[in-house]
Every structure is written in C-alpha cells, then in structure tokens.
C-alpha cells in the first residue's frame, strides 16, 4: 500500500502535460498539421516525432509552464483544471473579496502555479460565472527559468478570449493581470482539504503554503464519447452562466458545410474530438452531424476539406448547444 502511495506522489511532481494523441492534429493527419506547441515551448522540450505525425515531450526539459497547453487548438495537451478552479471557488466561498493565482517566481503569497501559462480561458470564464474577481500576479518574466518573457501578453490574450465567450452572458469576468509587488508577499493562502495531504507529502513547508495541489490526469478512455472532449472546453460551456438569452449569439467558432460537399469522410476523420460524425443512412447516403459543445474550433476540417465546402461560423444561438446539429443530409456517399 505504501509503495502505491509513494508512486502516486511521485507523479504529482511530474510537470509534463498529458498528451492525448488522438486529439493531436498531427496524429489526425489534418492538412497543414500543427506545430503550435513546438513553436511555443520556451525550453525546447517539445519536438515533432518521426514522420511528423505526433509530438514528443522531453520530461527533463519541461518546466510545466503550460504555454503549450494555452496554444494547443484541440486539447491534445492539458493539465488538470480541478485545482486552480477549486482555489478560485474556495476564495469566493470564504468571502475573501477576490481570488488570486500567482506564478512560482513572483514571491507573492497566495495560491501558486508553476507559471501563469497554466491559466486558460476556462479558468477565467469560470471565475466570471461564479462572480469572483480574479487577480493574476506574475513575476519578472524577462529572465524567468520556468516560463517566457511574453507571459503577461499571453495572459491578456487568454483573458480577452474568455471575455469574448462571456459576452453572451452580459456579465464579464472581473480580471486583473499585473506584476506582483512586495505588498503581495503577505497575501493569505488557502489550501483546500482535498489537496492539503498530497501537498504535505510532496513538498516542504513553504511549498505547502503556496503550491496549488496538482494531481496527474489518467489516460483518456477514447471509448467514452464524453472523454473525447477536453476538460477545457467542457468548462467553457459550463461557464455560460447566467444563461444567455435565446436570441443572443455565443462566440464559439465551429464549422458549417455548404452544397459543394462531396460527402467524403475527411472532416470526420480529422476532427480531433469527433465533434463531427458521419453516419451512413440505411437507405443510402450520409448525414454529417456536429456536436457543438465538443468542437474546439481548431478548424482542421476546414483546412482539410478537399472541395473547400466548409467555412467557420463564429457565433451560435444557445439552442445549438443541445442535440447534434445536422450539417449535411445527402443521398450519396463516397
């Protein structure tokens, strides 16, 4: 039993994000592929694998900054969102007036992430849904050994993306991005009971006081349709609170198909979350269906469509997040 506990604790210190190969646009062989994670990693920890069909992560070079997760268009790379979301919620439940997340190099007190590159639009959007002001405190990013010099600019883009999503609710998130100051060192620290034991066993006293508990993500069970959708996009959908009015557009880029479609299977084959499904009809022909809430907006389908029959729609009415949308109903099939 003890050996199992210690093995599990060792995983808590592993900074490498989970890689789900079936969600990677290289693995799906989407036209144009994707090298966003490789191009973004400030430490050269990510390389494109043999034949250009996968990525490889060097655990010795990875610092866990999360910048690759921020830019991954399909959720192939991800960290567990439970701990930062719980930290924000705990601050709100405690009546502290605001929640804070700070980077490990800032010197500020309060809940700490290895780098604020770990902050994603879902975390910001959730704080808005809960009505909890969120302050993101970064350190001196210019010479940071964990992240990159442009982390503050990247954070501002993350916040902008979250606010675009929340615009449909009529209640923007209250977010501040700023450098930590000496006064921030005395910020209160709250560690949830859920993660305190794990933190205690894996870190020294100072780290227990600061670090947000983190748990390793299990492998995705691809046989379960729900698990194909990354947690990031599931939380984005959950964060549409208060519910948008029925006639209000929600910013959620996703594909539409026009009549130049030749009914080939390419769009469904390259979709990294299987948000697009191609069903053969018993009487012949095909139906293309879109599960909007599972679509990450990567547009691999658009770039890969042989006749160019797909284009992006930026906004959808709230009802579109219900049953699958019929994109195409044809009496023929390739």
């Amino acid at each position: 039993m003890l050996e199992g506990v210690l093995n599990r604790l060792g995983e808590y210190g592993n900074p490498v994000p989970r890689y789900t190969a079936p969600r990677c646009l290289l693995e799906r062989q989407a036209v144009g592929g994707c090298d966003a994670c490789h191009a973004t990693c400030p430490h050269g920890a990510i390389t494109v694998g043999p034949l250009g069909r996968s990525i490889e992560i060097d655990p010795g070079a990875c610092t866990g900054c999360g910048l690759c997760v921020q830019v991954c268009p399909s959720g192939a790379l991800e960290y567990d969102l439970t701990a930062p979301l719980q930290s924000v919620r705990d601050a709100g439940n405690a009546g502290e007036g605001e929640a804070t997340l700070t980077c490990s190099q800032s010197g500020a007190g309060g809940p700490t992430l290895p780098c604020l590159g770990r902050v994603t639009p879902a975390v910001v959007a959730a704080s808005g849904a809960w009505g909890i002001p969120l302050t993101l405190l970064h350190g001196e990013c210019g010479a940071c050994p964990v992240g990159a010099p442009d982390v503050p600019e990247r954070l501002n883009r993350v916040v902008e993306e979250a606010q675009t999503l929340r615009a449909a609710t009529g209640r923007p998130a209250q977010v501040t991005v700023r450098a930590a100051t000496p006064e921030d060192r005395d910020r209160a620290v709250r560690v949830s009971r859920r993660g305190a034991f794990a933190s205690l066993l894996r870190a020294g006293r100072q780290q227990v006081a600061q670090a947000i508990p983190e748990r390793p993500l299990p492998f995705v069970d691809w046989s379960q349709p729900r698990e194909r959708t990354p947690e990031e996009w599931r939380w984005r959908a959950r964060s549409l609170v208060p519910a948008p009015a029925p006639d209000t557009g929600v910013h959620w880029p996703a594909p539409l198909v026009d009549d130049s479609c030749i009914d080939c299977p390419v769009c469904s084959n390259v979709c990294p979350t299987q948000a697009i499904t191609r069903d053969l009809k018993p009487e012949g022909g095909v139906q293309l269906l879109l599960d909007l809430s599972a679509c990450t907006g990567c547009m691999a389908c658009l770039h890969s469509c042989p006749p160019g029959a797909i284009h992006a729609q930026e906004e959808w009415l709230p009802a579109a997040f219900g049953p699958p949308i019929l994109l195409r109903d044809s009496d023929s099939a390739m």
Side-chain angles (χ1 to χ4, degrees):
M1 179 178 177
L2 179 59
E3 182 180 0
V5 171
L6 293 176
N7 287 341
R8 188 65 180 270
L9 290 174
E11 292 176 340
Y12 276 90
N14 184 0
V16 177
R18 177 175 69 179
Y19 173 55
T20 303
R23 290 194 196 132
C24 181
L25 299 189
L26 296 178
E27 173 92 8
R28 307 300 292 194
Q29 299 185 46
V31 170
C34 178
D35 69 345
C37 58
H38 166 69
T40 297
C41 180
H43 307 291
I46 301 178
T47 56
V48 176
L51 304 178
R53 294 183 180 176
S54 65
I55 65 163
E56 297 176 352
I57 305 176
D58 179 357
C62 178
T63 63
C65 66
L67 294 175
C68 58
V69 173
Q70 273 189 356
V71 300
C72 180
S74 62
L77 292 169
E78 57 188 334
Y79 285 108
D80 182 31
L81 293 179
T82 304
L85 288 170
Q86 185 67 46
S87 177
V88 172
R89 194 65 184 267
D90 284 350
N93 290 340
E96 295 176 1
E98 68 168 351
T100 64
L101 295 173
T102 184
C103 78
S104 62
Q105 306 297 302
S106 69
T112 301
L113 293 165
C115 173
L116 292 186
R118 295 276 193 106
V119 177
T120 65
V123 174
V124 176
S127 73
W130 295 327
I132 302 172
L134 176 62
T135 298
L136 303 173
L137 301 172
H138 61 82
E140 296 294 334
C141 299
C144 178
V146 179
D150 63 345
V151 164
E153 290 78 10
R154 291 174 181 269
L155 273 178
N156 285 325
R157 291 197 291 269
V158 165
V159 171
E160 182 179 355
E161 186 173 354
Q163 298 289 36
T164 301
L165 173 64
R166 289 208 51 76
T169 70
R171 193 174 76 186
Q174 302 173 61
V175 190
T176 301
V177 179
R178 66 173 176 84
T181 66
E183 289 74 22
D184 292 314
R185 293 175 183 170
D186 297 327
R187 283 182 172 268
V189 180
R190 180 174 297 276
V191 179
S192 69
R193 290 168 61 187
R194 176 183 303 178
F197 179 69
S199 294
L200 180 63
L201 291 177
R202 76 179 171 93
R205 180 172 299 177
Q206 178 64 22
Q207 288 177 306
V208 171
Q210 302 287 341
I212 291 179
E214 183 178 354
R215 66 180 178 89
L217 287 168
F219 287 111
V220 171
D221 183 353
W222 203 252
S223 68
Q224 300 297 320
R226 183 179 180 275
E227 291 198 26
R228 298 170 193 164
T229 303
E231 196 73 13
E232 169 70 19
W233 276 267
R234 281 187 249 165
W235 270 103
R236 291 188 192 189
R238 291 174 191 158
S239 298
L240 290 171
V241 177
D247 59 348
T248 299
V250 177
H251 185 78
W252 195 283
L256 281 177
V257 179
D258 64 34
D259 289 338
S260 63
C261 174
I262 58 176
D263 301 314
C264 74
V266 169
C267 58
S268 60
N269 287 347
V270 302
C271 182
T273 60
Q274 295 191 349
I276 297 179
T277 54
R278 180 177 182 267
D279 295 341
L280 296 176
K281 299 190 296 184
E283 66 275 17
V286 298
Q287 285 187 336
L288 284 181
L289 299 172
L290 171 68
D291 180 351
L292 183 62
S293 61
C295 178
T296 68
C298 70
M299 293 304 157
C301 55
L302 184 153
H303 299 302
S304 302
C305 179
I310 296 178
H311 61 275
Q313 178 164 300
E314 299 292 317
E315 291 190 348
W316 301 77
L317 295 179
F321 289 88
I325 300 166
L326 181 63
L327 294 177
R328 170 83 171 169
D329 192 346
S330 171
D331 292 331
S332 63
M334 289 187 68

